[in-house]
Every structure is written in structure tokens, then in C-alpha cells.
Amino acid sequence: MVQVRNKQVVLRNYVVGFPKESDMNIVEGIITLKLPEGSDDVLLKNLYLSCDPYMRVLMMTKDSLVGVASYTLGS
């Protein structure tokens, strides 16, 4: 088991129009990397974060969406 620093992009506010930097928050924490013993699994590190157009719809308020679950603030 190894503990490493982790950064997450967290939704701060529901988006109206185009997403802005102020709609998101970068949260740092510590996570534990653990693979089952004898496993052939591989751990990967993301270097870039992509935001595709569909994700923008999920960042809108729940009231403005019909039949689609939006993201939860703070997660």
C-alpha cells in the first residue's frame, strides 16, 4: 500500500451557459493505492482532464433536466 497526493475537480456551482473556472473547485487529498496481491492489474495516472459536451448538460441544475441525472454539487 502506498499513499499518494490526489487532485480532484469538483463541481462547486451548477453551470448556466458555458462552464467557468469559478463553477469548479480543485480539491487535494491523500489516497491509498492498493492492488490485490498477485494481481496483474495496472495503476494509471491521468495527465489531462477532458470535458466533453455531454458533461456540460450534466452540470446543469436538476430542475432544468428531464430524465437525466445531473452531477451532485461537491462531488
Side-chain angles (χ1 to χ4, degrees):
M1 278 193 286
V2 176
Q3 289 192 333
V4 296
R5 284 188 7 236
N6 182 44
K7 291 183 184 178
Q8 297 177 350
V9 178
V10 177
L11 188 62
R12 181 187 298 174
N13 300 313
Y14 286 113
V15 174
V16 177
F18 286 102
K20 300 178 292 298
E21 190 174 335
S22 61
D23 293 327
M24 297 168 209
N25 197 18
I26 296 179
V27 178
E28 291 191 40
I30 302 287
I31 61 169
T32 301
L33 302 178
K34 181 180 177 184
L35 289 175
E37 202 156 315
S39 169
D40 290 335
D41 293 345
V42 177
L43 289 171
L44 299 176
K45 178 179 180 177
N46 289 338
L47 299 177
Y48 299 96
L49 177 67
S50 159
C51 184
D52 96 22
Y54 177 71
M55 294 172 73
R56 191 169 137 203
V57 173
L58 300 176
M59 292 184 218
M60 298 167 58
T61 63
K62 294 179 184 194
D63 299 337
S64 60
L65 301 173
V66 177
V68 178
S70 65
Y71 292 132
T72 304
L73 294 180
S75 66

